Amino acid sequence: MPMSIPAKKKNYRLTSGMSREDWLRDRKNYIGASEIAAVLGLDQHKTPLDVWKSKVYDNVSDIQKEPSGRAAAGIRFEDAVAQWVAEKFNLTIRRDNKIRIHPKHPFISVNLDRVIVNRFHPGVLEIKTTSKESFKTWSIYADYINPIFMHHWVQIQMQMEVSGYSWGCFGVQMADSFYGFGEPELIEIEKDQDFINLSIEKVVEFWEKYVMTKEPPPPQTVDDMLFLHPKAGPPPIEVSSEVYQAVVELRGVKDRKAPLEKREKELADQI
């Protein structure tokens, strides 16, 4: 009798037909690629505590809330930007429609915007928007590493790792209120396995030490402190005389700046 071959385990869940609310609820069960930077302390907008709250607390109101502002615009323009990038750089792309799961750590999962399929090996394509000024520092080798770019760079590293793809790209659409729209650019990203290994180690520690135990991670900001100790208020800080003098001088500069900004607006309106 022939020996049966066990079916290969699927390392993904399909998102086709999944509602936004179901998708957001599902995200509570794993750390997504866009949350890795916050867990590592590399996100300028979120802290590890913010990620912890999104996993431990059942924020129904937040789950039901529709995206607004830049987030809503990015979702609406994603298809158009992806198509423009594909045409300009001769790429064949397709939607992924999967929540891909890390083979060893199921609490690490990623969603890919698109997959590039017309090269020797498939690759990740992440669609992003930014201003022309910000785009100047979108490089891991720049003297000043843009924190927005750093966040996205960390994200695509984990996407490459979980998907098994060895390369990836950002398709970046530049747009801002002054310059308007520019043509999209393509940034190829090399896989950094050493960074990925360190990231996974930190994420595993975060999940096991804080999410599974529901014990909050240490606060990183005043807002974190106020969340953990709402009645305590911000802790007192001892500073040197040089820092105190700088604070006093900064306050004076702000006081002198306010009337100048008001007059600037009046003149601009008049012109």
Side-chain angles (χ1 to χ4, degrees), residues 222 224-236:
V222 172
D224 284 356
M225 182 67 73
L226 291 175
F227 174 83
L228 294 174
H229 308 285
K231 296 182 180 180

Side-chain angles (χ1 to χ4, degrees), residues 56-158:
V56 173
Y57 285 86
D58 188 14
N59 300 317
V60 176
S61 60
D62 290 341
I63 288 175
Q64 294 174 342
K65 190 184 300 180
E66 290 298 319
S68 60
R70 290 178 179 269
I75 293 172
R76 289 178 179 273
F77 284 110
E78 182 181 302
D79 286 346
V81 175
Q83 188 59 40
W84 196 355
V85 168
E87 291 176 0
K88 181 178 178 180
F89 297 100
N90 193 29
L91 303 176
T92 301
I93 63 175
R94 60 172 171 78
R95 289 181 176 274
D96 200 45
N97 295 324
K98 298 181 183 73
I99 298 172
R100 294 176 176 265
I101 307 166
H102 192 283
K104 293 183 180 179
H105 307 292
F107 50 84
I108 301 176
S109 296
V110 303
N111 295 265
L112 310 183
D113 283 347
R114 300 289 189 281
V115 176
I116 301 172
V117 296
N118 65 326
R119 296 195 181 179
F120 187 71
H121 294 294
V124 176
L125 176 63
E126 267 295 298
I127 304 300
K128 302 296 181 184
T129 58
T130 191
S131 68
K132 287 187 176 182
E133 191 63 30
S134 174
F135 184 73
K136 294 177 182 178
T137 53
W138 273 49
S139 171
I140 198 67
Y141 304 108
D143 293 335
Y144 162 75
I145 299 180
N146 189 309
I148 298 173
F149 171 75
M150 188 65 196
H151 173 277
H152 296 328
W153 184 87
V154 172
Q155 176 186 7
I156 204 170
Q157 290 294 329
M158 191 58 69

Side-chain angles (χ1 to χ4, degrees), residues 13-264:
R13 294 187 296 280
L14 292 174
T15 58
S16 302
M18 184 181 290
S19 69
R20 172 176 169 77
E21 182 175 340
D22 289 341
W23 179 74
L24 289 173
R25 286 191 182 278
D26 189 68
R27 281 176 64 87
K28 293 177 65 64
N29 301 314
Y30 61 84
I31 304 293
S34 62
E35 298 171 312
I36 301 293
V39 172
L40 300 179
L42 298 174
D43 191 314
Q44 62 176 343
H45 298 299
K46 289 184 178 181
T47 66
L49 184 66
D50 291 322
V51 178
W52 177 84
K53 286 188 289 184
S54 72
K55 309 307 171 186
V56 173
Y57 285 86
D58 188 14
N59 300 317
V60 176
S61 60
D62 290 341
I63 288 175
Q64 294 174 342
K65 190 184 300 180
E66 290 298 319
S68 60
R70 290 178 179 269
I75 293 172
R76 289 178 179 273
F77 284 110
E78 182 181 302
D79 286 346
V81 175
Q83 188 59 40
W84 196 355
V85 168
E87 291 176 0
K88 181 178 178 180
F89 297 100
N90 193 29
L91 303 176
T92 301
I93 63 175
R94 60 172 171 78
R95 289 181 176 274
D96 200 45
N97 295 324
K98 298 181 183 73
I99 298 172
R100 294 176 176 265
I101 307 166
H102 192 283
K104 293 183 180 179
H105 307 292
F107 50 84
I108 301 176
S109 296
V110 303
N111 295 265
L112 310 183
D113 283 347
R114 300 289 189 281
V115 176
I116 301 172
V117 296
N118 65 326
R119 296 195 181 179
F120 187 71
H121 294 294
V124 176
L125 176 63
E126 267 295 298
I127 304 300
K128 302 296 181 184
T129 58
T130 191
S131 68
K132 287 187 176 182
E133 191 63 30
S134 174
F135 184 73
K136 294 177 182 178
T137 53
W138 273 49
S139 171
I140 198 67
Y141 304 108
D143 293 335
Y144 162 75
I145 299 180
N146 189 309
I148 298 173
F149 171 75
M150 188 65 196
H151 173 277
H152 296 328
W153 184 87
V154 172
Q155 176 186 7
I156 204 170
Q157 290 294 329
M158 191 58 69
Q159 288 176 331
M160 288 189 284
E161 176 69 7
V162 175
S163 67
Y165 299 154
S166 60
W167 65 282
C169 297
F170 289 126
V172 188
Q173 174 65 56
M174 284 163 284
D176 52 54
S177 57
F178 183 78
Y179 292 104
F181 286 93
E183 289 200 8
E185 298 293 341
L186 195 69
I187 304 177
E188 294 205 22
I189 303 296
E190 296 179 4
K191 191 172 182 180
D192 188 331
Q193 195 62 52
D194 290 338
F195 177 83
I196 290 170
N197 293 342
L198 178 61
S199 298
I200 291 175
E201 180 181 326
K202 295 295 183 182
V203 172
V204 170
E205 179 184 7
F206 176 83
W207 187 267
E208 294 178 348
K209 188 174 181 179
Y210 301 118
V211 178
M212 291 185 66
T213 64
K214 296 190 176 181
E215 289 293 326
Q220 304 292 320
T221 64
V222 172
D223 286 341
D224 284 356
M225 182 67 73
L226 291 175
F227 174 83
L228 294 174
H229 308 285
K231 296 182 180 180
I237 302 174
E238 293 185 6
V239 299
S240 65
S241 58
E242 290 83 0
V243 173
Y244 176 77
Q245 185 59 41
V247 171
V248 173
E249 185 176 347
L250 177 61
R251 183 178 299 169
V253 170
K254 288 184 175 181
D255 289 342
R256 295 192 299 273
K257 180 182 176 182
L260 291 174
E261 289 181 334
K262 180 181 178 181
R263 182 56 179 160
E264 179 187 18

